[in-house]
Amino acid sequence: MTRLDNSFGQNKKCVQCKKAVDLITCDYCENSVCNICSDLNTTEFNMMKKAKKKLKYQCKDCPGTPGSNNSDKFDQLLVVITTLQQQMNAMQSKLNSIENQQLNADNETRPHDKQQDMDSVLEELEERKKRKRNVIIYDIDESPSDDLNERIEHDNEKLNQIMGELNTNVQNVKIRRLGKRIPGKKRPMQVITQNDHEAINMLKKARSMKKTNFKNDLTPMQRDKMRDLGNQLKLKQENGETGWGIKYVKGQPKLWKTTVVDSN
């Protein structure tokens, strides 16, 4: 394999034209020749000078160990360099094409994704608005009857009893049991009122009487949020942090630390 290891003559004269010009020294006979007297053209001569690695040079009249023609070596080197450059250009073009395709794909999908996100937000807001007039009551006895009318009558009686305990009157409500019927299991009772004011009033009355089985009707997203807050609260309690609770701030549940007022 050709190894670059060339030296250039300094303060010497060309052995052929006897001129003290820019020279190149043969690695075999150590004679120095100029560009004109060498077997190299100007490009090849300059490449030999500028190369960081060195190519062994053998002059055309060298009496030393014969070697392959330097011009042929440079021709081969130029072919390799040209081929590599073409391959690099092709790879760069392909890379640019891929980047442009990805950019176009992103531009096409992003508006669609944004629209989907907006639709999801609007659907969530609409669902929350609808559920605001609902109250979920847990641990209420359920009729074991297979007759639908008997079960409806039973639930109406239970709700009237509950309203009496709360000292409130709610008219024209709808009652549903949530989930699949399982013998011996009390399904949650969903009470659908006429408006959110009636639902809020029921919840306030229940909380004032320390009834913990009355809950807001939350969307899946809201339930996930409450579950996450509950886990955070539990972690704080396990770490010995006191005074923390969950409080609604502007309609949104948040972890809230009670401020302890020093009585001294």
Side-chain angles (χ1 to χ4, degrees), residues 217-264:
D217 188 5
L218 304 178
T219 66
M221 183 180 293
Q222 288 176 305
R223 289 197 295 270
D224 289 342
K225 175 68 173 179
M226 289 298 295
R227 189 179 300 111
D228 181 59
L229 289 174
N231 291 335
Q232 293 181 43
L233 179 60
K234 182 179 179 181
L235 183 61
K236 287 182 177 295
Q237 292 171 343
E238 290 175 351
N239 291 334
E241 299 183 46
T242 59
W244 285 93
I246 298 176
K247 181 178 180 180
Y248 278 82
V249 180
K250 295 183 179 180
Q252 297 299 319
K254 297 180 182 296
L255 279 182
W256 192 269
K257 185 172 178 61
T258 304
T259 303
V260 179
V261 179
D262 191 351
S263 58
N264 295 329

mmCIF file of all heavy atoms in Angstrom, residues 217-264:
data_model
loop_
_atom_site.group_PDB
_atom_site.id
_atom_site.type_symbol
_atom_site.label_atom_id
_atom_site.label_comp_id
_atom_site.label_asym_id
_atom_site.label_seq_id
_atom_site.Cartn_x
_atom_site.Cartn_y
_atom_site.Cartn_z
ATOM 1 N N ASP A 217 -69.997 13.797 41.115
ATOM 2 C CA ASP A 217 -69.914 12.873 39.979
ATOM 3 C C ASP A 217 -68.766 13.343 39.088
ATOM 4 O O ASP A 217 -68.906 14.300 38.321
ATOM 5 C CB ASP A 217 -71.237 12.861 39.208
ATOM 6 C CG ASP A 217 -71.267 11.770 38.151
ATOM 7 O OD1 ASP A 217 -70.312 10.980 38.089
ATOM 8 O OD2 ASP A 217 -72.253 11.713 37.388
ATOM 9 N N LEU A 218 -67.624 12.683 39.194
ATOM 10 C CA LEU A 218 -66.413 13.121 38.504
ATOM 11 C C LEU A 218 -66.216 12.381 37.186
ATOM 12 O O LEU A 218 -66.601 11.218 37.040
ATOM 13 C CB LEU A 218 -65.186 12.890 39.396
ATOM 14 C CG LEU A 218 -65.211 13.547 40.780
ATOM 15 C CD1 LEU A 218 -63.948 13.188 41.550
ATOM 16 C CD2 LEU A 218 -65.358 15.060 40.669
ATOM 17 N N THR A 219 -65.582 13.061 36.243
ATOM 18 C CA THR A 219 -65.195 12.416 34.990
ATOM 19 C C THR A 219 -63.976 11.527 35.255
ATOM 20 O O THR A 219 -63.303 11.669 36.287
ATOM 21 C CB THR A 219 -64.827 13.464 33.926
ATOM 22 O OG1 THR A 219 -63.641 14.155 34.341
ATOM 23 C CG2 THR A 219 -65.952 14.466 33.727
ATOM 24 N N PRO A 220 -63.656 10.609 34.343
ATOM 25 C CA PRO A 220 -62.446 9.787 34.526
ATOM 26 C C PRO A 220 -61.192 10.618 34.744
ATOM 27 O O PRO A 220 -60.334 10.264 35.554
ATOM 28 C CB PRO A 220 -62.373 8.977 33.224
ATOM 29 C CG PRO A 220 -63.799 8.851 32.793
ATOM 30 C CD PRO A 220 -64.442 10.155 33.173
ATOM 31 N N MET A 221 -61.078 11.746 34.039
ATOM 32 C CA MET A 221 -59.904 12.603 34.208
ATOM 33 C C MET A 221 -59.864 13.200 35.609
ATOM 34 O O MET A 221 -58.801 13.267 36.245
ATOM 35 C CB MET A 221 -59.908 13.722 33.158
ATOM 36 C CG MET A 221 -58.679 14.626 33.207
ATOM 37 S SD MET A 221 -58.716 15.946 31.964
ATOM 38 C CE MET A 221 -58.567 14.971 30.460
ATOM 39 N N GLN A 222 -61.021 13.614 36.109
ATOM 40 C CA GLN A 222 -61.080 14.174 37.457
ATOM 41 C C GLN A 222 -60.782 13.109 38.509
ATOM 42 O O GLN A 222 -60.122 13.390 39.516
ATOM 43 C CB GLN A 222 -62.461 14.788 37.703
ATOM 44 C CG GLN A 222 -62.710 16.077 36.936
ATOM 45 C CD GLN A 222 -64.119 16.586 37.124
ATOM 46 O OE1 GLN A 222 -65.095 15.874 36.880
ATOM 47 N NE2 GLN A 222 -64.243 17.830 37.572
ATOM 48 N N ARG A 223 -61.260 11.885 38.277
ATOM 49 C CA ARG A 223 -60.983 10.805 39.228
ATOM 50 C C ARG A 223 -59.493 10.490 39.274
ATOM 51 O O ARG A 223 -58.934 10.225 40.347
ATOM 52 C CB ARG A 223 -61.783 9.555 38.854
ATOM 53 C CG ARG A 223 -63.279 9.700 39.107
ATOM 54 C CD ARG A 223 -63.966 8.344 39.135
ATOM 55 N NE ARG A 223 -63.917 7.669 37.849
ATOM 56 C CZ ARG A 223 -64.839 7.791 36.898
ATOM 57 N NH1 ARG A 223 -65.876 8.594 37.088
ATOM 58 N NH2 ARG A 223 -64.735 7.118 35.768
ATOM 59 N N ASP A 224 -58.848 10.513 38.108
ATOM 60 C CA ASP A 224 -57.396 10.287 38.070
ATOM 61 C C ASP A 224 -56.665 11.374 38.855
ATOM 62 O O ASP A 224 -55.695 11.096 39.573
ATOM 63 C CB ASP A 224 -56.900 10.265 36.622
ATOM 64 C CG ASP A 224 -57.343 9.016 35.877
ATOM 65 O OD1 ASP A 224 -57.725 8.036 36.543
ATOM 66 O OD2 ASP A 224 -57.319 9.027 34.630
ATOM 67 N N LYS A 225 -57.131 12.613 38.703
ATOM 68 C CA LYS A 225 -56.524 13.731 39.424
ATOM 69 C C LYS A 225 -56.678 13.555 40.933
ATOM 70 O O LYS A 225 -55.718 13.736 41.701
ATOM 71 C CB LYS A 225 -57.177 15.040 38.975
ATOM 72 C CG LYS A 225 -56.723 16.284 39.735
ATOM 73 C CD LYS A 225 -55.279 16.624 39.444
ATOM 74 C CE LYS A 225 -54.898 17.948 40.078
ATOM 75 N NZ LYS A 225 -53.478 18.294 39.834
ATOM 76 N N MET A 226 -57.877 13.181 41.369
ATOM 77 C CA MET A 226 -58.123 12.982 42.794
ATOM 78 C C MET A 226 -57.306 11.807 43.327
ATOM 79 O O MET A 226 -56.785 11.853 44.451
ATOM 80 C CB MET A 226 -59.610 12.744 43.040
ATOM 81 C CG MET A 226 -60.478 13.975 42.849
ATOM 82 S SD MET A 226 -60.059 15.311 43.999
ATOM 83 C CE MET A 226 -60.503 14.550 45.566
ATOM 84 N N ARG A 227 -57.177 10.759 42.527
ATOM 85 C CA ARG A 227 -56.385 9.602 42.946
ATOM 86 C C ARG A 227 -54.917 9.990 43.122
ATOM 87 O O ARG A 227 -54.257 9.576 44.086
ATOM 88 C CB ARG A 227 -56.518 8.482 41.911
ATOM 89 C CG ARG A 227 -55.918 7.154 42.352
ATOM 90 C CD ARG A 227 -56.108 6.083 41.295
ATOM 91 N NE ARG A 227 -57.518 5.857 41.020
ATOM 92 C CZ ARG A 227 -58.128 6.189 39.886
ATOM 93 N NH1 ARG A 227 -57.443 6.776 38.917
ATOM 94 N NH2 ARG A 227 -59.406 5.939 39.709
ATOM 95 N N ASP A 228 -54.425 10.804 42.207
ATOM 96 C CA ASP A 228 -53.037 11.260 42.297
ATOM 97 C C ASP A 228 -52.827 12.135 43.533
ATOM 98 O O ASP A 228 -51.834 11.986 44.252
ATOM 99 C CB ASP A 228 -52.671 12.038 41.029
ATOM 100 C CG ASP A 228 -51.233 12.526 41.045
ATOM 101 O OD1 ASP A 228 -50.329 11.683 41.154
ATOM 102 O OD2 ASP A 228 -51.015 13.746 40.952
ATOM 103 N N LEU A 229 -53.775 13.032 43.795
ATOM 104 C CA LEU A 229 -53.672 13.880 44.987
ATOM 105 C C LEU A 229 -53.747 13.040 46.257
ATOM 106 O O LEU A 229 -53.043 13.309 47.238
ATOM 107 C CB LEU A 229 -54.788 14.926 44.983
ATOM 108 C CG LEU A 229 -54.672 16.047 43.942
ATOM 109 C CD1 LEU A 229 -55.919 16.926 43.969
ATOM 110 C CD2 LEU A 229 -53.428 16.885 44.178
ATOM 111 N N GLY A 230 -54.602 12.017 46.234
ATOM 112 C CA GLY A 230 -54.711 11.135 47.391
ATOM 113 C C GLY A 230 -53.407 10.407 47.669
ATOM 114 O O GLY A 230 -52.995 10.261 48.829
ATOM 115 N N ASN A 231 -52.734 9.966 46.610
ATOM 116 C CA ASN A 231 -51.444 9.287 46.784
ATOM 117 C C ASN A 231 -50.387 10.248 47.329
ATOM 118 O O ASN A 231 -49.568 9.871 48.176
ATOM 119 C CB ASN A 231 -50.979 8.702 45.451
ATOM 120 C CG ASN A 231 -51.839 7.537 44.991
ATOM 121 O OD1 ASN A 231 -52.465 6.864 45.804
ATOM 122 N ND2 ASN A 231 -51.888 7.299 43.688
ATOM 123 N N GLN A 232 -50.407 11.491 46.837
ATOM 124 C CA GLN A 232 -49.456 12.488 47.342
ATOM 125 C C GLN A 232 -49.714 12.782 48.819
ATOM 126 O O GLN A 232 -48.771 12.914 49.611
ATOM 127 C CB GLN A 232 -49.571 13.774 46.527
ATOM 128 C CG GLN A 232 -49.120 13.654 45.080
ATOM 129 C CD GLN A 232 -49.231 14.966 44.334
ATOM 130 O OE1 GLN A 232 -48.873 16.031 44.863
ATOM 131 N NE2 GLN A 232 -49.738 14.922 43.120
ATOM 132 N N LEU A 233 -50.995 12.891 49.177
ATOM 133 C CA LEU A 233 -51.352 13.162 50.569
ATOM 134 C C LEU A 233 -50.926 12.004 51.470
ATOM 135 O O LEU A 233 -50.375 12.218 52.562
ATOM 136 C CB LEU A 233 -52.861 13.386 50.674
ATOM 137 C CG LEU A 233 -53.413 13.663 52.076
ATOM 138 C CD1 LEU A 233 -52.776 14.910 52.669
ATOM 139 C CD2 LEU A 233 -54.933 13.804 52.029
ATOM 140 N N LYS A 234 -51.138 10.783 51.009
ATOM 141 C CA LYS A 234 -50.753 9.606 51.786
ATOM 142 C C LYS A 234 -49.241 9.572 52.005
ATOM 143 O O LYS A 234 -48.765 9.242 53.102
ATOM 144 C CB LYS A 234 -51.209 8.343 51.059
ATOM 145 C CG LYS A 234 -50.899 7.061 51.802
ATOM 146 C CD LYS A 234 -51.398 5.847 51.025
ATOM 147 C CE LYS A 234 -51.061 4.554 51.761
ATOM 148 N NZ LYS A 234 -51.525 3.360 50.993
ATOM 149 N N LEU A 235 -48.479 9.925 50.970
ATOM 150 C CA LEU A 235 -47.024 9.941 51.080
ATOM 151 C C LEU A 235 -46.559 10.967 52.110
ATOM 152 O O LEU A 235 -45.654 10.696 52.907
ATOM 153 C CB LEU A 235 -46.407 10.240 49.711
ATOM 154 C CG LEU A 235 -44.877 10.233 49.627
ATOM 155 C CD1 LEU A 235 -44.330 8.861 50.001
ATOM 156 C CD2 LEU A 235 -44.411 10.612 48.223
ATOM 157 N N LYS A 236 -47.185 12.136 52.108
ATOM 158 C CA LYS A 236 -46.829 13.160 53.089
ATOM 159 C C LYS A 236 -47.130 12.679 54.508
ATOM 160 O O LYS A 236 -46.340 12.901 55.436
ATOM 161 C CB LYS A 236 -47.583 14.459 52.792
ATOM 162 C CG LYS A 236 -47.068 15.219 51.580
ATOM 163 C CD LYS A 236 -47.830 16.511 51.379
ATOM 164 C CE LYS A 236 -47.273 17.304 50.206
ATOM 165 N NZ LYS A 236 -45.885 17.779 50.444
ATOM 166 N N GLN A 237 -48.267 12.030 54.672
ATOM 167 C CA GLN A 237 -48.634 11.532 55.998
ATOM 168 C C GLN A 237 -47.671 10.445 56.464
ATOM 169 O O GLN A 237 -47.296 10.397 57.639
ATOM 170 C CB GLN A 237 -50.070 11.005 55.960
ATOM 171 C CG GLN A 237 -51.110 12.100 55.757
ATOM 172 C CD GLN A 237 -52.496 11.553 55.500
ATOM 173 O OE1 GLN A 237 -52.665 10.380 55.158
ATOM 174 N NE2 GLN A 237 -53.513 12.401 55.643
ATOM 175 N N GLU A 238 -47.262 9.577 55.543
ATOM 176 C CA GLU A 238 -46.304 8.529 55.898
ATOM 177 C C GLU A 238 -44.946 9.113 56.263
ATOM 178 O O GLU A 238 -44.200 8.525 57.056
ATOM 179 C CB GLU A 238 -46.155 7.550 54.732
ATOM 180 C CG GLU A 238 -47.391 6.684 54.502
ATOM 181 C CD GLU A 238 -47.256 5.809 53.269
ATOM 182 O OE1 GLU A 238 -46.278 6.016 52.503
ATOM 183 O OE2 GLU A 238 -48.111 4.931 53.059
ATOM 184 N N ASN A 239 -44.617 10.269 55.688
ATOM 185 C CA ASN A 239 -43.348 10.944 55.995
ATOM 186 C C ASN A 239 -43.437 11.816 57.245
ATOM 187 O O ASN A 239 -42.490 12.537 57.575
ATOM 188 C CB ASN A 239 -42.901 11.793 54.805
ATOM 189 C CG ASN A 239 -42.481 10.943 53.619
ATOM 190 O OD1 ASN A 239 -42.067 9.794 53.780
ATOM 191 N ND2 ASN A 239 -42.582 11.499 52.421
ATOM 192 N N GLY A 240 -44.586 11.765 57.917
ATOM 193 C CA GLY A 240 -44.734 12.513 59.160
ATOM 194 C C GLY A 240 -45.143 13.958 58.985
ATOM 195 O O GLY A 240 -45.128 14.733 59.952
ATOM 196 N N GLU A 241 -45.519 14.356 57.762
ATOM 197 C CA GLU A 241 -45.947 15.735 57.528
ATOM 198 C C GLU A 241 -47.417 15.864 57.925
ATOM 199 O O GLU A 241 -48.261 15.085 57.489
ATOM 200 C CB GLU A 241 -45.754 16.118 56.065
ATOM 201 C CG GLU A 241 -44.301 16.056 55.600
ATOM 202 C CD GLU A 241 -44.142 16.522 54.168
ATOM 203 O OE1 GLU A 241 -44.725 17.578 53.828
ATOM 204 O OE2 GLU A 241 -43.455 15.839 53.391
ATOM 205 N N THR A 242 -47.707 16.843 58.732
ATOM 206 C CA THR A 242 -49.072 17.034 59.229
ATOM 207 C C THR A 242 -49.672 18.322 58.684
ATOM 208 O O THR A 242 -48.957 19.195 58.177
ATOM 209 C CB THR A 242 -49.080 17.081 60.768
ATOM 210 O OG1 THR A 242 -48.237 18.171 61.205
ATOM 211 C CG2 THR A 242 -48.554 15.778 61.353
ATOM 212 N N GLY A 243 -50.992 18.426 58.812
ATOM 213 C CA GLY A 243 -51.679 19.650 58.411
ATOM 214 C C GLY A 243 -52.045 19.715 56.943
ATOM 215 O O GLY A 243 -52.557 20.735 56.478
ATOM 216 N N TRP A 244 -51.774 18.633 56.197
ATOM 217 C CA TRP A 244 -52.073 18.640 54.770
ATOM 218 C C TRP A 244 -53.450 18.044 54.508
ATOM 219 O O TRP A 244 -53.905 17.149 55.214
ATOM 220 C CB TRP A 244 -51.028 17.852 53.986
ATOM 221 C CG TRP A 244 -49.726 18.560 53.829
ATOM 222 C CD1 TRP A 244 -48.629 18.458 54.630
ATOM 223 C CD2 TRP A 244 -49.388 19.496 52.811
ATOM 224 N NE1 TRP A 244 -47.621 19.264 54.189
ATOM 225 C CE2 TRP A 244 -48.055 19.925 53.060
ATOM 226 C CE3 TRP A 244 -50.057 20.030 51.716
ATOM 227 C CZ2 TRP A 244 -47.402 20.839 52.257
ATOM 228 C CZ3 TRP A 244 -49.407 20.946 50.909
ATOM 229 C CH2 TRP A 244 -48.097 21.346 51.183
ATOM 230 N N GLY A 245 -54.117 18.546 53.482
ATOM 231 C CA GLY A 245 -55.406 18.013 53.068
ATOM 232 C C GLY A 245 -55.674 18.374 51.621
ATOM 233 O O GLY A 245 -54.848 19.004 50.956
ATOM 234 N N ILE A 246 -56.817 17.962 51.116
ATOM 235 C CA ILE A 246 -57.223 18.286 49.747
ATOM 236 C C ILE A 246 -58.346 19.310 49.818
ATOM 237 O O ILE A 246 -59.353 19.096 50.497
ATOM 238 C CB ILE A 246 -57.685 17.030 48.995
ATOM 239 C CG1 ILE A 246 -56.531 16.028 48.873
ATOM 240 C CG2 ILE A 246 -58.204 17.396 47.605
ATOM 241 C CD1 ILE A 246 -56.919 14.708 48.237
ATOM 242 N N LYS A 247 -58.152 20.417 49.132
ATOM 243 C CA LYS A 247 -59.124 21.502 49.172
ATOM 244 C C LYS A 247 -59.399 21.986 47.754
ATOM 245 O O LYS A 247 -58.505 22.012 46.911
ATOM 246 C CB LYS A 247 -58.580 22.658 50.024
ATOM 247 C CG LYS A 247 -59.523 23.842 50.154
ATOM 248 C CD LYS A 247 -58.919 24.916 51.051
ATOM 249 C CE LYS A 247 -59.851 26.111 51.184
ATOM 250 N NZ LYS A 247 -59.284 27.162 52.059
ATOM 251 N N TYR A 248 -60.651 22.349 47.510
ATOM 252 C CA TYR A 248 -61.010 22.894 46.199
ATOM 253 C C TYR A 248 -60.697 24.387 46.171
ATOM 254 O O TYR A 248 -61.177 25.153 47.011
ATOM 255 C CB TYR A 248 -62.491 22.660 45.904
ATOM 256 C CG TYR A 248 -62.777 21.274 45.374
ATOM 257 C CD1 TYR A 248 -62.908 20.193 46.239
ATOM 258 C CD2 TYR A 248 -62.890 21.050 44.004
ATOM 259 C CE1 TYR A 248 -63.153 18.915 45.747
ATOM 260 C CE2 TYR A 248 -63.138 19.780 43.508
ATOM 261 C CZ TYR A 248 -63.263 18.717 44.381
ATOM 262 O OH TYR A 248 -63.503 17.461 43.888
ATOM 263 N N VAL A 249 -59.870 24.778 45.197
ATOM 264 C CA VAL A 249 -59.510 26.180 45.004
ATOM 265 C C VAL A 249 -59.965 26.587 43.611
ATOM 266 O O VAL A 249 -59.478 26.056 42.608
ATOM 267 C CB VAL A 249 -57.987 26.396 45.153
ATOM 268 C CG1 VAL A 249 -57.641 27.872 44.950
ATOM 269 C CG2 VAL A 249 -57.509 25.906 46.509
ATOM 270 N N LYS A 250 -60.929 27.498 43.550
ATOM 271 C CA LYS A 250 -61.520 27.933 42.282
ATOM 272 C C LYS A 250 -62.033 26.740 41.478
ATOM 273 O O LYS A 250 -61.856 26.653 40.261
ATOM 274 C CB LYS A 250 -60.511 28.739 41.462
ATOM 275 C CG LYS A 250 -60.099 30.049 42.110
ATOM 276 C CD LYS A 250 -59.154 30.841 41.223
ATOM 277 C CE LYS A 250 -58.777 32.168 41.877
ATOM 278 N NZ LYS A 250 -57.846 32.957 41.034
ATOM 279 N N GLY A 251 -62.631 25.806 42.199
ATOM 280 C CA GLY A 251 -63.242 24.653 41.547
ATOM 281 C C GLY A 251 -62.292 23.525 41.218
ATOM 282 O O GLY A 251 -62.709 22.508 40.670
ATOM 283 N N GLN A 252 -61.004 23.672 41.561
ATOM 284 C CA GLN A 252 -60.021 22.644 41.253
ATOM 285 C C GLN A 252 -59.428 22.078 42.539
ATOM 286 O O GLN A 252 -59.032 22.840 43.431
ATOM 287 C CB GLN A 252 -58.888 23.215 40.387
ATOM 288 C CG GLN A 252 -59.342 23.718 39.027
ATOM 289 C CD GLN A 252 -59.947 22.617 38.179
ATOM 290 O OE1 GLN A 252 -59.455 21.494 38.150
ATOM 291 N NE2 GLN A 252 -61.030 22.936 37.486
ATOM 292 N N PRO A 253 -59.354 20.741 42.673
ATOM 293 C CA PRO A 253 -58.780 20.147 43.886
ATOM 294 C C PRO A 253 -57.270 20.328 43.927
ATOM 295 O O PRO A 253 -56.585 20.141 42.931
ATOM 296 C CB PRO A 253 -59.163 18.665 43.756
ATOM 297 C CG PRO A 253 -59.267 18.432 42.285
ATOM 298 C CD PRO A 253 -59.795 19.716 41.703
ATOM 299 N N LYS A 254 -56.765 20.697 45.099
ATOM 300 C CA LYS A 254 -55.332 20.893 45.277
ATOM 301 C C LYS A 254 -54.930 20.430 46.669
ATOM 302 O O LYS A 254 -55.750 20.406 47.591
ATOM 303 C CB LYS A 254 -54.950 22.373 45.103
ATOM 304 C CG LYS A 254 -55.219 22.953 43.722
ATOM 305 C CD LYS A 254 -54.814 24.417 43.651
ATOM 306 C CE LYS A 254 -55.116 25.021 42.281
ATOM 307 N NZ LYS A 254 -54.312 24.378 41.214
ATOM 308 N N LEU A 255 -53.650 20.054 46.795
ATOM 309 C CA LEU A 255 -53.120 19.789 48.132
ATOM 310 C C LEU A 255 -53.018 21.112 48.871
ATOM 311 O O LEU A 255 -52.523 22.102 48.325
ATOM 312 C CB LEU A 255 -51.737 19.132 48.034
ATOM 313 C CG LEU A 255 -51.694 17.624 47.764
ATOM 314 C CD1 LEU A 255 -50.255 17.144 47.747
ATOM 315 C CD2 LEU A 255 -52.490 16.851 48.794
ATOM 316 N N TRP A 256 -53.467 21.118 50.110
ATOM 317 C CA TRP A 256 -53.545 22.376 50.854
ATOM 318 C C TRP A 256 -53.035 22.156 52.268
ATOM 319 O O TRP A 256 -53.453 21.225 52.941
ATOM 320 C CB TRP A 256 -54.993 22.864 50.890
ATOM 321 C CG TRP A 256 -55.151 24.273 51.374
ATOM 322 C CD1 TRP A 256 -55.359 24.684 52.656
ATOM 323 C CD2 TRP A 256 -55.115 25.456 50.582
ATOM 324 N NE1 TRP A 256 -55.457 26.044 52.724
ATOM 325 C CE2 TRP A 256 -55.309 26.555 51.450
ATOM 326 C CE3 TRP A 256 -54.932 25.701 49.229
ATOM 327 C CZ2 TRP A 256 -55.335 27.863 51.001
ATOM 328 C CZ3 TRP A 256 -54.959 27.010 48.787
ATOM 329 C CH2 TRP A 256 -55.157 28.072 49.663
ATOM 330 N N LYS A 257 -52.130 23.013 52.695
ATOM 331 C CA LYS A 257 -51.597 22.903 54.048
ATOM 332 C C LYS A 257 -52.292 23.915 54.944
ATOM 333 O O LYS A 257 -52.315 25.114 54.646
ATOM 334 C CB LYS A 257 -50.086 23.136 54.070
ATOM 335 C CG LYS A 257 -49.460 22.906 55.450
ATOM 336 C CD LYS A 257 -47.942 22.965 55.374
ATOM 337 C CE LYS A 257 -47.312 22.783 56.744
ATOM 338 N NZ LYS A 257 -47.640 21.469 57.345
ATOM 339 N N THR A 258 -52.855 23.415 56.019
ATOM 340 C CA THR A 258 -53.552 24.278 56.962
ATOM 341 C C THR A 258 -52.551 25.113 57.740
ATOM 342 O O THR A 258 -51.550 24.592 58.255
ATOM 343 C CB THR A 258 -54.384 23.447 57.954
ATOM 344 O OG1 THR A 258 -55.274 22.614 57.218
ATOM 345 C CG2 THR A 258 -55.170 24.334 58.888
ATOM 346 N N THR A 259 -52.798 26.403 57.792
ATOM 347 C CA THR A 259 -51.917 27.297 58.541
ATOM 348 C C THR A 259 -52.270 27.236 60.021
ATOM 349 O O THR A 259 -53.423 27.445 60.413
ATOM 350 C CB THR A 259 -52.054 28.743 58.043
ATOM 351 O OG1 THR A 259 -51.762 28.782 56.645
ATOM 352 C CG2 THR A 259 -51.100 29.664 58.792
ATOM 353 N N VAL A 260 -51.282 26.907 60.810
ATOM 354 C CA VAL A 260 -51.492 26.819 62.260
ATOM 355 C C VAL A 260 -51.182 28.172 62.883
ATOM 356 O O VAL A 260 -50.080 28.705 62.735
ATOM 357 C CB VAL A 260 -50.596 25.730 62.886
ATOM 358 C CG1 VAL A 260 -50.804 25.677 64.392
ATOM 359 C CG2 VAL A 260 -50.893 24.383 62.245
ATOM 360 N N VAL A 261 -52.170 28.733 63.549
ATOM 361 C CA VAL A 261 -51.997 30.045 64.182
ATOM 362 C C VAL A 261 -51.506 29.852 65.604
ATOM 363 O O VAL A 261 -52.108 29.116 66.398
ATOM 364 C CB VAL A 261 -53.323 30.835 64.176
ATOM 365 C CG1 VAL A 261 -53.129 32.187 64.852
ATOM 366 C CG2 VAL A 261 -53.839 30.987 62.754
ATOM 367 N N ASP A 262 -50.389 30.485 65.916
ATOM 368 C CA ASP A 262 -49.827 30.400 67.264
ATOM 369 C C ASP A 262 -50.670 31.251 68.215
ATOM 370 O O ASP A 262 -50.835 32.456 68.019
ATOM 371 C CB ASP A 262 -48.376 30.899 67.234
ATOM 372 C CG ASP A 262 -47.657 30.585 68.543
ATOM 373 O OD1 ASP A 262 -48.325 30.148 69.498
ATOM 374 O OD2 ASP A 262 -46.424 30.783 68.587
ATOM 375 N N SER A 263 -51.224 30.602 69.232
ATOM 376 C CA SER A 263 -52.107 31.310 70.169
ATOM 377 C C SER A 263 -51.340 32.102 71.208
ATOM 378 O O SER A 263 -51.921 32.869 71.972
ATOM 379 C CB SER A 263 -53.024 30.297 70.875
ATOM 380 O OG SER A 263 -52.248 29.329 71.561
ATOM 381 N N ASN A 264 -50.018 31.894 71.286
ATOM 382 C CA ASN A 264 -49.225 32.624 72.288
ATOM 383 C C ASN A 264 -48.965 34.057 71.841
ATOM 384 O O ASN A 264 -48.808 34.340 70.687
ATOM 385 C CB ASN A 264 -47.891 31.911 72.523
ATOM 386 C CG ASN A 264 -48.114 30.534 73.150
ATOM 387 O OD1 ASN A 264 -49.078 30.333 73.890
ATOM 388 N ND2 ASN A 264 -47.221 29.581 72.848
#
